[in-house]
Amino acid sequence: MQPILVTGGAGFLGSHLCDRLVERGHDVICVDNFFTGRKENIAHLMGNPQFEVIRHDIVQPLTVEVSQIFNLACPASPVAYQYNPIKTIKTSSVGMVNMLGLAKRCRARVLQASTSEIYGDPKIHPQREDDWGNVNPIGPRSCYDEGKRIAESLCVNYSHAHGVETRIIRIFNTYGPRMDPDDGRVISNFITQALRGEPLTVYGDGSQTRSFCFVDDLIEGMLRLMAHPDNEIGPVNVGNPAEMTMLELAEAIIGIIGSSSHVDFQPLPKDDPTRRCPDISKAQALLNWEPLVDLKTGLAKTIDYYREELRRAGQI
Ligand code: NAD
Ligand code: UDP
């Protein structure tokens, strides 16, 4: 059996995926350009004979022999993906072509890490896979949203034209240990702010909703989708349908930590989706998957992680 390739393997989700694949006995090649990935996420795997790392940018062609490709390479935080929007588009378009070309030559199956951003600011709620979405093609989020939409189209077209086996997972907001404390996403921001006793920066009036999935649940859904035998399965939503407002999230985090922080309302970023919640009936029916970790349990584990990180950095 050839190794499994994980692009973006030094990132938040990628590093957890590498762990699970190694645990299951696979040989894993992690490819990462370390834009938002961190060596410490994979430090514990270094020296393991089942694991190797290549510093590489998927916008450039890659020649390796692999049996499966999990394509996670792409910054996920709005702050990170808007830092160099053209690079973000190239990663999801040129990078995707490179990974599909590699898959075609190796006869490898590809799983593309797509996103709930495919639905943009959704008109249908909760979001179902047959919703085509409501995306601003020229807005500040378009480098990410449209990039991911091109990537989905490339997967479908390589599958039809060249017989490449592709799977598309539409990931809804996922959190857990190893999310970069400074990456600007809401859970990492709120927890680190509450631990430092700083105000929690709620954007807008905090009434916008998200539905948060713990990383272990997400990785399980991802592995089940990759293993699914049906090439026509189409995109599958994976996320936790427990929907909440950002104000409720801030209050929950302050409560669990017992922090003295208060909430500081800041301007809402342009095109910030007003609501987001996955319809997971397809994943339940076809993958026999549903999330098992509730928000309180997942947040407690994540808070423990950040507390340790901030202590080590001398920040608390
Ligand atoms: P992350 O930023 O922690 O990880 C992304 C990884 O990809 C990083 O290690 C980064 O260095 C690497 N990378 C970026 N561009 C690259 C390139 N051109 N070549 C090689 N490596 C590159 O983000 P994450 O949360 O782990 O997200 C992983 C994937 O899942 C992304 O594709 C993201 O779009 C998708 N996703 C994540 C979420 C979420 O809530 N975490 C939601 C929807 C989709
Ligand atoms: N958000 C917030 N405060 C922050 C960071 C984010 O209120 O410090 C809000 C943001 O406006 C959005 C939600 O939290 O409505 C989720 O943002 P995130 O960047 O985590 O991911 P998104 O789902 O927008 O891609």
Side-chain angles (χ1 to χ4, degrees), residues 7-14 31-38 41 56-59 71-77 80 87 91 112-117 144 148 170-175 178-180 183 185 222:
T7 76
F12 161 49
L13 296 180
V31 160
D32 207 294
N33 70 353
F34 291 96
F35 172 48
T36 51
R38 297 181 297 159
N41 288 346
H56 176 84
D57 193 309
I58 64 159
V59 170
N71 188 36
L72 275 63
C74 185
S77 151
K87 180 61 195 256
T91 295
Q112 165 60 4
S114 191
T115 166
S116 52
E117 290 285 323
Y144 184 74
K148 292 286 187 178
R170 289 189 180 152
I171 303 170
F172 283 65
N173 296 65
T174 301
Y175 70 100
R178 298 191 197 148
M179 260 177 121
D180 186 336
D183 83 355
R185 284 185 266 188
M222 189 180 271

Side-chain angles (χ1 to χ4, degrees), residues 262-280:
H262 61 272
V263 162
D264 179 23
F265 291 98
Q266 294 198 358
L268 187 68
K270 186 173 180 321
D271 292 348
D272 198 285
T274 49
R275 55 190 183 162
R276 203 182 272 157
C277 178
D279 178 324
I280 59 164

